[in-house]
Amino acid sequence: MSILLTAVYFLILTGLTLYGAHRLKMLVLYWRAMKRPALVEPELGCTPKVCVQLPLFNEPLVVEALLEKVSALRWPSDQWEIQILDDSTDETPEIIGNWIERHPERSVRMTHMRRPKREGYKAGALRYGMELTNAEFFAIFDADFRPEPDFLERMMPHFAADDVAVVQARWEFANRKQSLLTRFQAVFLDAHFVVEQTARAAAGLFFNFNGTAGIWRRTALLDAGNWTSDTVTEDLDISYRAQLRGWRLVYLDRYAVPSELPENLIAFKSQQRRWTKGGIQVARKLLGQVLSSSLPARVKREAWWHLTIGLVHPMLVSFSLLFLPYLWFASDQLGAWWHLANPAIVLLAGGAPVAFYVAGQFFQRREWREGVGWLLASPLLLSFGLALSVTLCAAFFEGLFSTGGEFVRTPKGGRQVRSGGLLTRMRSRTFFASVSAVEIALGLILLNGAVQSALSGQPEIALALTLKGTGFMIVAFLSSGDLWPSFWRRAPSALPVN
């Protein structure tokens, strides 16, 4: 039994170490990318027609601010239009209609579109709007994004090369300092948008359109098979299909579009659940094509790490479950070499992601003291990330054994929001209540182990288990506080736009 337990423990730890090493590789690639000269702004030579698409579903709190911003974009008046692709079932359509009536001079290029059925969710809405225009390019914004007037002027010139399918801007977060939750989210997402996306793009590796704050070329969309809804991450799916067809994506890491982070934990979990589930669905759908293609080996390897990153979460949950049994039944029966190697491996598996996230703060050109602060808070960062693994482990298996699924939007507009209709909220409540129960169970197991380790004279293990167990308990507690009230309360009225 001890041999089997050790073998499984070692296998999981090896997997986590490999993914940790890949994080370090991303930092190396980013460091190289930072040494490159500033990107020379190309000249497009013409002003092709652009359609700005706004896919919406129940966004009463943020839609007016979105309309204010997109209507102020600068582009020749006869060469752009705005499609409001509104699938809402709440008061959002009325808010949009009232805004259009109040601003006739700013809404002259807007078309408010209402589909009879929300078929295909966001992918279906984008495809529906595409069929109703002859525009050559499509700029896409989710409801919480706030582009500056120069967005099209800065982005469109990068389509001067005929093989460019997408130009993607970096995401910035206007409410990153709103709470400890938004600060944690910003750290995690900065690592993706500042480090990962820049590193992959600069190294000529596959990366992805992020679903918003970017522009697509029509011919690339059609050549790649257009938007499809057989995964819940249609942006990742179409990005890989386009790159498999030879199209190129451009990432502008030095041009950012402000957006909003979810301000309650259930909304954040819902967002991460969809991204993890969709990533595995895309891996099932396209990874085989990538690996069997004639692409360079380094592109194939990176596609593997990129699309299978969700595998980390089942490994983290398994590690949490096996850690105490391993300490109790197996660790004393191993040689001295293992007692030296095991802490080093655990440090690499856990320390590499911390280095990755903290480096994202340094590289973001913020104050050094902020990066140092996150370095000191790295145990909390690790604890929070580990505690989310239960939700994302469930999402991994959802993606592994399902195709498509309901596109559950991430509600924005502060904490006073609700997600979808009654049926969607009931399903969400059931799922996240089950997840919270597992989080509490894991937290209690680890805290019990911490007490026993302290009593047996192992304070370093007790401290590690306390951090892990506390993380699970805090996330479960905060999730419960967000989940039950949000199910019963009525939807708030739209906030005024300043």
Side-chain angles (χ1 to χ4, degrees), residues 410-441:
T410 304
K412 302 293 173 64
R415 293 184 58 85
Q416 303 303 311
V417 294
R418 67 175 182 180
S419 178
L422 179 62
L423 185 59
T424 297
R425 281 182 285 150
M426 289 180 66
R427 286 197 295 263
S428 177
R429 183 181 68 167
T430 301
F431 175 84
F432 287 115
S434 301
V435 165
S436 294
V438 175
E439 290 166 346
I440 291 171

Side-chain angles (χ1 to χ4, degrees), residues 67-103:
L67 297 178
E68 292 280 352
K69 282 293 188 178
V70 297
S71 63
L73 294 174
R74 295 195 296 261
W75 200 245
S77 58
D78 60 339
Q79 288 295 91
W80 73 296
E81 61 180 311
I82 301 171
Q83 291 182 342
I84 306 172
L85 305 170
D86 182 17
D87 288 341
S88 301
T89 57
D90 63 356
E91 65 269 37
T92 301
E94 182 179 353
I95 293 171
I96 294 171
N98 291 338
W99 190 93
I100 290 175
E101 288 182 6
R102 295 196 310 269
H103 303 86

Side-chain angles (χ1 to χ4, degrees), residues 234-250:
E234 74 297 321
D235 45 7
L236 178 63
D237 177 25
I238 188 66
S239 298
Y240 264 73
R241 284 189 279 128
Q243 289 170 108
L244 279 168
R245 295 285 297 170
W247 292 94
R248 188 161 57 91
L249 278 61
V250 174

Side-chain angles (χ1 to χ4, degrees), residues 7 25 33 39 256 326 415:
K25 174 190 172 183
L39 191 64
Y326 160 76
R415 293 184 58 85

Side-chain angles (χ1 to χ4, degrees), residues 23-33 199:
R23 296 296 200 191
L24 296 181
K25 174 190 172 183
M26 286 289 102
L27 288 177
V28 172
L29 291 179
Y30 181 81
W31 185 257
R32 292 176 182 172

Side-chain angles (χ1 to χ4, degrees), residues 90-124:
D90 63 356
E91 65 269 37
T92 301
E94 182 179 353
I95 293 171
I96 294 171
N98 291 338
W99 190 93
I100 290 175
E101 288 182 6
R102 295 196 310 269
H103 303 86
E105 73 291 346
R106 302 187 66 176
S107 60
V108 65
R109 283 180 293 274
M110 291 183 178
T111 306
H112 187 190
M113 299 179 177
R114 300 277 292 155
R115 295 191 296 164
K117 186 178 180 182
R118 197 187 173 205
E119 184 176 358
Y121 304 105
K122 181 179 178 179

